[in-house]
Amino acid sequence: MKKRCFILLLTLTSALFLTSCNGNHNKSQDKNSLTIMGRKSDMEKSYMTSIFEQYETATGNKLEIIEFDDSEFEVDASKKFADGDAPDIFMHFNNADLNRFDVSDNFYYLNNENWVADLTNSSKAYCQDKEGNLLGLPFWESSVSGCFYNKTLLDSLGLKPASTQAEFDVLCQVLADIGYTPICWPADGCTWMFQFGLDPIFADDPSLLEKLNKNEVNYSDIPAVTNMVQWVSDAADKGWFGSDYLENGWSDISMIMGSGKAVMTFIWDTWFYTDFEKGNKYTVDDFALMPAFMNTADSGTYEGGNLNMMMVNKNSKKLDMALEFLSFCASSENYNIAFDGISTVSCFKGQTTNIQSSMVTNAGASIAKNERVSTAASKIIGYSADDVSAAFDRLFNKKTDVAGCVSLMDDYRIKEAKKQGVAF
């Protein structure tokens, strides 16, 4: 797929514009211009183009947007860094792929910037490395993932949400016994659910994550991983996912949850505002949020959002200008314009114009206690949600057992890590 250039349309009220360039980019010699590199789909989000336009209008400076097609971004961006053509500002998630870019040598630690105190605890934690250094400004949409349940239906049955793994297991069995599908588990092509179980294992023990990423231990050496796989296997066998979960996919979740066929599902809050279809028996107002339970954290877990960070090239000749740009983005006056009407959990304490789900705000105390930074999908080297799902698919279809599923997860992880150039 070719990389394309785009020019944001001029409005009738502004003669200012943003220029987006492809990979054949030469560093700008304009002293009043900053280069920003990121994925094409990321750079064209409405809140991104808004903050870019605001900056140009307010300062008279120019932003040169260097974007790569999503599928080519990691490889092409890392080549730019290797060739000495790094941008002034780089947008990336704090995940395993960030290791391609030699973080300590290339990026400026933002610990002492004046806007740090305005970050929410969860957004700040997401952007820190293992030593606690702040790598970037989280300027992105966020969500909270957990177990969303039909509170109206539970109330009508005289049942309550769970606060421990044991309570959750009892709740599932009771619902199954009286004819309800406890959990909508869309096994046909949906792959995110497994990371909710893995997150507590590695978020709560960073040293274990480091050993896994160095291939000093495998999943098979970690009892908690086997416990999770065993729980999912048992839940399927007990009918907690229903009889047709292997045929249910993304497009079926809305009907299953809206009709009351299933009582709970492991998903994120923004789904209810972007993909939950109207016209069902139950609406978003009938749902509430509790932790996800998959036998790896007794009090359950919530997954915090994955956030794109604005990182500053510490070797840039325009370092001060780049830091001033981040300060502009981190101003409440400016980010509240950019995120006006966007459905997202706040990344900044002063965020007021975004839409926050009542399901999330009502579960605030529980989230504060049990939320983990997204860890499995973002920080395990070689993690592929599709690969994990493929291993479980063999388990669900009785082509392997629990131990075999764990072994496959290891095989797929190591194979993918090697494809990424990691030497074990």
Side-chain angles (χ1 to χ4, degrees):
M1 186 183 296
K2 292 183 178 180
K3 306 176 192 67
R4 295 177 292 173
C5 296
F6 79 95
I7 300 176
L8 293 177
L9 297 177
L10 293 175
T11 66
L12 293 176
T13 59
S14 174
L16 298 172
F17 62 90
L18 298 169
T19 304
S20 175
C21 306
N22 63 18
N24 299 316
H25 174 75
N26 293 319
K27 288 185 178 179
S28 173
Q29 301 303 311
D30 185 348
K31 66 179 181 179
N32 296 319
S33 178
L34 285 172
T35 53
I36 305 179
M37 182 182 290
R39 293 175 180 81
K40 178 178 176 58
S41 64
D42 293 348
M43 306 306 280
E44 298 179 11
K45 296 284 189 183
S46 63
Y47 42 86
M48 298 305 302
T49 58
S50 172
I51 200 67
F52 294 160
E53 290 173 349
Q54 287 185 67
Y55 175 77
E56 288 198 332
T57 300
T59 66
N61 296 333
K62 300 296 181 183
L63 298 174
E64 298 186 27
I65 310 303
I66 308 164
E67 56 180 28
F68 297 100
D69 286 327
D70 293 17
S71 62
E72 302 173 6
F73 171 72
E74 300 294 351
V75 172
D76 287 355
S78 59
K79 186 176 186 300
K80 285 293 181 183
F81 276 79
D83 291 344
D85 197 15
D88 302 309
I89 296 167
F90 185 55
M91 292 202 66
H92 203 285
F93 293 85
N94 190 10
N95 57 24
D97 279 322
L98 189 58
N99 294 324
R100 298 171 183 258
F101 297 94
D102 196 351
V103 173
S104 62
D105 284 346
N106 283 320
F107 298 108
Y108 185 86
Y109 293 148
L110 301 163
N111 306 337
N112 298 317
E113 295 303 293
N114 58 12
W115 43 261
V116 174
D118 190 36
L119 298 179
T120 62
N121 291 338
S122 59
S123 65
K124 180 181 178 182
Y126 177 84
C127 297
Q128 292 176 315
D129 64 14
K130 62 182 180 181
E131 284 80 29
N133 294 307
L134 189 65
L135 303 180
L137 171 70
F139 200 90
W140 203 242
E141 59 190 278
S142 187
S143 61
V144 173
S145 298
C147 179
F148 288 83
Y149 66 95
N150 189 323
K151 63 181 180 181
T152 302
L153 188 50
L154 279 193
D155 287 346
S156 72
L157 297 171
L159 299 173
K160 297 183 181 299
S163 59
T164 67
Q165 182 71 52
E167 291 178 1
F168 186 75
D169 290 350
V170 169
L171 176 61
C172 288
Q173 192 58 55
V174 169
L175 287 168
D177 288 345
I178 59 178
Y180 288 93
T181 297
I183 304 169
C184 172
W185 187 280
D188 184 15
C190 295
T191 62
W192 64 81
M193 299 83 73
F194 307 103
Q195 67 201 51
F196 301 158
L198 292 171
D199 272 355
I201 300 172
F202 299 102
D204 295 355
D205 190 350
S207 64
L208 185 61
L209 175 65
E210 186 173 2
K211 290 178 182 177
L212 183 75
N213 282 338
K214 291 180 177 178
N215 212 33
E216 294 174 357
V217 298
N218 288 321
Y219 287 139
S220 58
D221 301 314
I222 305 170
V225 175
T226 298
N227 291 344
M228 184 200 82
V229 176
Q230 185 69 62
W231 183 87
V232 174
S233 178
D234 290 345
D237 290 343
K238 293 174 182 176
W240 291 359
F241 301 158
S243 59
D244 55 354
Y245 72 100
L246 292 175
E247 288 77 48
N248 292 328
W250 174 260
S251 61
D252 301 302
I253 306 172
S254 184
M255 180 279 297
I256 293 170
M257 298 306 298
S259 66
K261 179 180 177 182
V263 182
M264 301 176 284
T265 193
F266 297 165
I267 207 160
W268 49 93
D269 61 299
T270 55
W271 176 86
F272 284 89
Y273 300 93
T274 58
D275 295 275
F276 189 35
E277 297 174 2
K278 296 180 180 179
N280 290 309
K281 179 179 179 180
Y282 297 101
T283 71
V284 63
D285 294 330
D286 293 300
F287 289 87
L289 173 61
M290 64 175 158
F293 295 93
M294 295 178 69
N295 205 32
T296 56
D298 187 59
S299 297
T301 190
Y302 302 96
E303 183 189 46
N306 292 291
L307 304 173
N308 222 336
M309 306 181 295
M310 293 182 177
M311 306 174 69
V312 174
N313 177 2
K314 73 177 184 180
N315 304 307
S316 168
K317 294 181 180 179
K318 300 176 182 177
L319 176 61
D320 290 340
M321 187 178 174
L323 292 173
E324 289 171 1
F325 172 73
L326 261 62
S327 293
F328 181 91
C329 296
S331 164
S332 61
E333 178 181 0
N334 301 326
Y335 64 63
N336 274 320
I337 292 174
F339 285 98
D340 186 16
I342 301 295
S343 178
T344 174
V345 173
S346 296
C347 291
F348 303 95
K349 295 175 183 176
Q351 221 167 332
T352 59
T353 58
N354 55 308
I355 301 170
Q356 291 203 81
S357 164
S358 60
M359 296 179 288
V360 170
T361 55
N362 291 340
S366 178
I367 293 170
K369 179 181 178 182
N370 299 301
E371 184 181 36
R372 272 101 175 164
V373 174
S374 179
T375 301
S378 60
K379 296 185 179 181
I380 294 176
I381 296 175
Y383 185 91
S384 163
D386 288 340
D387 285 346
V388 175
S389 181
F392 272 89
D393 186 64
R394 292 188 62 81
L395 177 65
F396 291 146
N397 285 286
K398 309 303 180 185
K399 294 180 179 179
T400 191
D401 57 11
V402 168
C405 180
V406 175
S407 179
L408 283 171
M409 289 168 60
D410 274 323
D411 292 344
Y412 293 152
R413 174 183 58 83
I414 294 170
K415 181 179 179 180
E416 179 60 28
K418 289 180 177 178
K419 281 175 56 180
Q420 295 177 13
V422 177
F424 284 146

